[in-house]
Amino acid sequence: SQTIHQWPATLVQPVGSPLSLECTVEGTSNPNLYWYRQAAGRGLQLLFYSVGIGQISSEVPQNLSASRPQDRQFILSSKKLLLSDSGFYLCAWSVVQASNYGYTFGSGTRLTVV
Amino acid sequence: SQKIEQNSEALNIQEGKTATLTCNYTNYSPAYLQWYRQDPGRGPVFLLLIRENEKEKRKERLKVTFDTTLKQSLFHITASQPADSATYLCALGDSNYQLIWGAGTKLIIKP
């Protein structure tokens, strides 16, 4: 069965420090991968998505970057965190070019920048 | 610009009754619509998908309707239980398989 792993669950980082969040998917090949951020009471904001290794599309210009070094690995990074980067970060995957199934989300990372 | 609206206020329902949540959208012609459940501190969980040419979809105690003329979807939970308490998100998808998300409605089922 397909599973998605996202870690860490919570993270407190000082302003100006780097960030690396990792997401891995098991049980499927060539998935679409997504990074979302969710602010309290707001809808999910798509940050990045990837349709294949090394292929990254950015939806929102910001202080973050993403990479997909392997088919089932998606990494969210920042060189210097800002206070505004605080939030709930979610990784998700979906079947390539098929709308019959929803997205499968990881359990999320609560990032607090202090 | 594209906009999705879900009731921002929490919906309180007595156990055993039917809960109905609304998702309205403007300036968009989705190919399909999805509903998710999200518990506090967790990622959303996919529940149902309905396409633009479908009027209604059912799954156990869940029912979703999709009216492209009214630009509205209704999400029903029959015989509601306290365990159904959560935030429910709707998301619209286009032919490029990208989703636009509503902010969600918090549902509280009281025993």
Side-chain angles (χ1 to χ4, degrees):
Chain A
S1 63
Q2 301 96 348
T3 56
I4 181 169
H5 302 280
Q6 183 181 347
W7 67 92
T10 59
L11 193 59
V12 180
Q13 292 284 99
V15 169
S17 65
L19 173 73
S20 181
L21 301 181
E22 187 165 343
C23 172
T24 59
V25 179
E26 295 179 358
T28 187
S29 297
N30 196 29
N32 282 347
L33 295 173
Y34 309 86
W35 277 111
Y36 281 92
R37 180 167 59 201
Q38 186 177 33
R42 304 285 296 275
L44 295 173
Q45 179 188 33
L46 180 62
L47 302 176
F48 302 94
Y49 71 93
S50 172
V51 299
I53 296 174
Q55 300 179 59
I56 308 295
S57 296
S58 174
E59 292 296 305
V60 182
Q62 57 204 329
N63 188 40
L64 303 170
S65 62
S67 62
R68 184 171 178 173
Q70 300 180 45
D71 181 45
R72 289 169 286 181
Q73 183 185 28
F74 206 21
I75 298 172
L76 182 69
S77 304
S78 173
K79 292 183 179 179
K80 289 185 178 182
L81 284 169
L82 306 173
L83 286 174
S84 58
D85 291 324
S86 294
F88 190 48
Y89 289 82
L90 290 158
C91 178
W93 73 271
S94 69
V95 177
V96 173
Q97 293 191 355
S99 62
N100 292 327
Y101 308 99
Y103 288 14
T104 300
F105 284 86
S107 53
T109 296
R110 175 74 59 190
L111 172 66
T112 303
V113 182
V114 296
Chain B
S1 62
Q2 301 158 345
K3 190 174 180 180
I4 301 177
E5 291 184 344
Q6 294 186 256
N7 288 344
S8 58
E9 294 183 5
L11 181 63
N12 288 275
I13 299 293
Q14 195 67 36
E15 181 179 7
K17 301 293 185 182
T18 296
T20 299
L21 286 72
T22 304
C23 177
N24 295 302
Y25 60 94
T26 57
N27 299 324
Y28 197 60
S29 296
Y32 56 92
L33 185 148
Q34 300 180 353
W35 282 90
Y36 290 77
R37 169 184 172 141
Q38 186 174 24
D39 291 291
R42 307 298 298 272
V45 175
F46 172 70
L47 296 175
L48 280 169
L49 178 149
I50 185 167
R51 299 182 184 283
E52 59 178 334
N53 60 350
E54 297 175 317
K55 296 293 185 182
E56 182 179 300
K57 208 71 160 302
R58 292 176 183 263
K59 179 182 176 182
E60 298 174 351
R61 294 184 296 111
L62 308 180
K63 184 179 82 171
V64 172
T65 63
F66 194 11
D67 190 325
T68 55
T69 301
L70 293 178
K71 295 186 180 295
Q72 180 182 78
S73 174
L74 299 178
F75 177 80
H76 306 272
I77 304 176
T78 58
S80 59
Q81 305 166 1
D84 295 325
S85 298
T87 295
Y88 291 85
L89 309 174
C90 70
L92 304 180
D94 58 21
S95 56
N96 293 320
Y97 309 104
Q98 298 300 321
L99 294 181
I100 301 175
W101 295 82
T105 297
K106 185 175 182 179
L107 175 64
I108 301 170
I109 306 298
K110 296 182 176 181

